[in-house]
Amino acid sequence: MKTKLLFAALVGTTVNAYASCGSSFCATNTNWDTQGLITNPGLRVGVRYSYSQADTPRSGTSKVSNDLATGQADTEVENLRTLNQSLNLDIDFALNSQLSIALAAPWVIRDHSHTLSDGAGGGTVEQGQFSQLGDIRLMGSYQFATNNRKSGSGIRLGLKLPTGQSNWEFIPGNGAAEGGLQPGSGSTDLILGGFYYQQVEGSSYGWFLSGQLQSATITRDDYRPGNETAVDFGMNYSFSPSLAALLQLNANLKDRDTGNGGKVNAHSGSHSLNISPGLSFAATTKTRLYGFVQLPIYQYVNPDPAWVDGQPITGQLTAPWTVSVGISQTF
């Protein structure tokens, strides 16, 4: 029972921003079956809040200034910030010890501002904000049969559905904002992943390794979000039956968005390695409180492909830290 409670702790999401306007999320692993938790039929419902502020321009691995004085007329200069918040509802149901299904519904809250350059060192600040439903994910997980309840492996398969608005624009507006800023991508994506976990025999230590690929299969508005690959390594250590220390390494690779529509931004795409320490506390045998902070170890964002030597360097907005807190209830 103690082991089950400790593995239940390893659930939570943090956010990091790497779109050209600092809008995309890099999350810690929140799949219960990946952690080895779902071993008996039952229901788990979780709610988590995530926050990040993307206000640091970066090109490649270097910080840049995105100087308004060098901006060309009628171009957006990402010299301000993007506030990203999300409130996520996660519902997991284990049909048996091997098969589970899950639904993840995000409520996305975003506040973005940038400067529309006048070409003379000044410009007009444009700002927009929304609070809307994002893209819902439906996932199925299958764990391979094993006689060892301390370890296991499995696969995950699912869809991201285009439930979030994908044509949001600034007010007064001049067409849809770039795809990375939208509540939803407008695409239907296929998600495929695999995992392995182990609780070390006779110890309070456990670990897992997982990988996942997400790729858009049905798109619209001549916009295709780039493929995204995530690899996560996580550990937990119990101080007591109710308190556990958590740690994850989260690697993320996001390809450039493609297409010819107005939502395509050539600056998009990145790869990163983040460390995510956290804590989990069992308020009861079925209720867990948890929190994570995510810090970048390595950040690389794609530079502007149209840049030529001698021109000013502009960059994507990145977040120096992110945080997530939540509560999880089993039934």
Side-chain angles (χ1 to χ4, degrees):
M1 184 63 180
K2 179 180 177 181
T3 297
K4 296 290 190 275
L5 288 176
L6 292 175
F7 263 118
L10 200 50
V11 186
T13 292
T14 53
V15 182
N16 213 338
Y18 295 106
S20 58
C21 290
S23 57
S24 295
F25 293 160
C26 175
T28 59
N29 192 297
T30 62
N31 301 321
W32 281 47
D33 50 351
T34 300
Q35 327 302 336
L37 173 65
I38 298 180
T39 56
N40 298 302
L43 175 68
R44 192 274 304 184
V45 177
V47 178
R48 65 185 185 272
Y49 168 79
S50 302
Y51 173 89
S52 74
Q53 177 171 316
D55 56 7
T56 305
R58 187 181 299 272
S59 180
T61 59
S62 302
K63 294 180 181 179
V64 296
S65 64
N66 282 6
D67 190 356
L68 183 60
T70 61
Q72 299 180 359
D74 298 323
T75 61
E76 295 179 4
V77 179
E78 303 301 338
N79 61 333
L80 299 175
R81 48 107 172 137
T82 301
L83 293 178
N84 294 303
Q85 302 177 75
S86 67
L87 187 64
N88 296 307
L89 172 66
D90 295 308
I91 302 174
D92 295 303
F93 184 71
L95 302 175
N96 52 50
S97 61
Q98 292 181 267
L99 184 63
S100 64
I101 56 177
L103 178 146
W107 188 263
V108 183
I109 306 166
R110 182 161 295 137
D111 183 349
H112 171 75
S113 57
H114 60 243
T115 303
L116 185 63
S117 175
D118 61 10
T124 302
V125 173
E126 291 187 329
Q127 185 173 8
Q129 54 188 320
F130 60 78
S131 178
Q132 298 186 23
L133 178 69
D135 287 343
I136 291 175
R137 286 172 168 78
L138 297 174
M139 299 292 298
S141 176
Y142 180 79
Q143 183 170 310
F144 301 114
T146 177
N147 293 325
N148 184 1
R149 295 175 62 87
K150 296 288 187 178
S151 64
S153 60
I155 57 174
R156 295 175 58 82
L157 180 66
L159 292 174
K160 183 197 71 65
L161 305 175
T163 53
Q165 181 183 353
S166 61
N167 59 354
W168 174 82
E169 59 183 86
F170 294 104
I171 297 175
N174 187 26
E178 68 177 76
L181 272 179
Q182 298 290 341
S185 69
S187 63
T188 300
D189 297 12
L190 179 65
I191 304 172
L192 178 64
F195 61 87
Y196 177 83
Y197 68 87
Q198 182 180 33
Q199 182 70 24
V200 178
E201 189 72 35
S203 79
S204 299
Y205 165 76
W207 65 276
F208 77 93
L209 179 66
S210 73
Q212 182 168 290
L213 171 66
Q214 179 172 320
S215 180
T217 56
I218 302 175
T219 62
R220 62 189 182 198
D221 299 331
D222 205 4
Y223 167 74
R224 185 184 188 280
N227 292 343
E228 186 166 7
T229 303
V231 178
D232 305 305
F233 173 73
M235 299 177 290
N236 70 345
Y237 183 84
S238 109
F239 295 112
S240 71
S242 59
L243 182 64
L246 314 172
L247 184 67
Q248 290 191 22
L249 290 176
N250 311 112
N252 182 273
L253 173 62
K254 177 71 163 59
D255 295 338
R256 291 184 193 268
D257 300 339
T258 57
N260 294 309
K263 296 191 296 184
V264 178
N265 191 309
H267 279 224
S268 60
S270 66
H271 50 269
S272 65
L273 177 65
N274 303 277
I275 187 169
S276 305
L279 288 172
S280 177
F281 176 74
T284 72
T285 57
K286 294 187 176 182
T287 305
R288 278 268 166 184
L289 306 175
Y290 57 86
F292 281 89
V293 174
Q294 188 174 75
L295 303 170
I297 298 175
Y298 173 81
Q299 292 176 310
Y300 177 92
V301 295
N302 289 332
D304 185 354
W307 181 84
V308 296
D309 191 26
Q311 288 184 340
I313 298 176
T314 59
Q316 304 181 33
L317 292 178
T318 62
W321 58 271
T322 62
V323 66
S324 179
V325 294
I327 184 170
S328 176
Q329 179 74 35
T330 58
F331 300 91

